[in-house]
Amino acid sequence: MARQGYIVHYRCFIIVFALCFAKNLRLQTAHRMILATEEFTDEEQLTSAMDKVCINFGKKILDIIPGRVSTEVDARLSFDKEGMIEKAKKLIELYKAEGIKKDRILIKLSSTWEGIQAARELESKYGIHCNMTLLFNFYQAVACADAGVTLISPFVGRILDWHVKNTDKKSFEPLEDPGVRSVTQIYNYYKKFNYKTVVMGASFRNTGQITGLAGCDLLTISPALLEQLSQSTDSLEVQLDKKRALESDLEKVEVDEKIFRWQMNEDEMANDKLSDGIRKFAADAIKLENVLRQKLA
Ligand SMILES: *[C@@H]1O[C@H](CO)[C@@H](O)[C@H](O)[C@H]1NC(C)=O
C-alpha cells in the first residue's frame, strides 16, 4: 500500500545529534572546510555549516535506502520565494559535489504561496523536485498541482488534532475523519483532472486514518503504526482509486494568489496549522543552529 518516505528534518537532527554525533567527524570536516576560508562572516559560516549538516544527514540515509530523501529548506525562508530558490539550488549543488544526483532528492518547502511559487520555478527551470509540506487545505493542493510540483505531503493527523482541540467532537470514524476527507478530496481532484503531482499522506494519529486512505499514491507511516497494521487481520478495502475520483462531483477551480490567500484566511484550521508548523520548524532550525554555533566557536 505504501512506500516509506525519508526525511531530513531538524527535529530528527537534534535527537540523532545527541545520540550518535558526539564525535561527528563529518561535522569536523565541514568545520575545517569552512574555517579554511577566512573571509566568511560568523553568520555565513553558520549557514554553511547548517547546509552541510543537512547534506550529511541526507547522504547517510541515502547510503542505506534505494529511494529518495527529502531535505528541508529552512522554514524561516517560508515567505521568501527567491530565498527558498537559492537555498534549494545550494543544497542540490552540495549533494552534487558528494556525487548525489538531484533525482534522489526532494526539496521540502512550506506550502505558502511563496513556497509554491518557488517550487514552480525549481521544477520547471532547474528540474529540482519538491515535496510540499505543511499542507492542510484543498486550495494549497490545487496551487501545488498547478505549479507542477512533484509531490505533496498533506498532514492528516495535524488536521485531526486541530478539530479535537477546537471543536466538541473528539473522535471520528475513519471515513469521517477531517484529515482523511481532506486528502480524499485532494486525491480525487488530482486524478479527475489528470495532475501528475503525487499525493503522499503523512502525520497519522491512528491506523483508521491510514486504512481510510488505502489506495493513496504514497503514505508516510511511522514504525509504531506499521507494526499495528501488521498485527491486524481486518480486511483492507481500497478507498481511493481513479474510478471513484472520476465519479466525484469535483469541479475544476482556478487558484491565483488572491484566491489562495483568501481561502487560507477563510480556513481557520489550515491558517492556524500552517503558521504553527512554520513556527515549530523555525524553532527547530534555531535549536540546531545553537548546537552548531557551539561547535564552531
Ligand atoms: C515529504 O515530506 C513529508 C513531511 O512533510 C514526509 O513525511 C515525507 O516522507 C516526504 N516524502 C518523501 C518521499 O521524502
Side-chain angles (χ1 to χ4, degrees), residues 4-7 68-70 106 108 131-134 151 153 155 200 202-203 218 220:
Q4 245 176 303
Y6 298 87
I7 186 111
R68 300 168 293 186
V69 70
S70 285
L106 287 166
K108 197 180 120 193
N131 175 0
M132 303 308 292
T133 191
L134 299 177
L151 185 144
S153 42
F155 278 162
M200 184 175 198
S203 130
L218 296 172
T220 296

Side-chain angles (χ1 to χ4, degrees), residues 166-186:
N166 295 287
T167 69
D168 291 336
K169 201 157 161 52
K170 301 300 173 197
S171 72
F172 296 85
E173 286 304 310
L175 299 185
E176 301 302 318
D177 184 292
V180 171
R181 293 181 79 127
S182 170
V183 176
T184 302
Q185 186 190 18
I186 292 167

Side-chain angles (χ1 to χ4, degrees), residues 133-163:
T133 191
L134 299 177
L135 194 147
F136 303 99
N137 133 323
F138 180 67
Y139 295 89
Q140 284 177 297
V142 173
C144 286
D146 285 341
V149 310
T150 299
L151 185 144
I152 62 164
S153 42
F155 278 162
V156 182
R158 291 195 197 188
I159 295 181
L160 173 67
D161 296 345
W162 189 92
H163 282 85

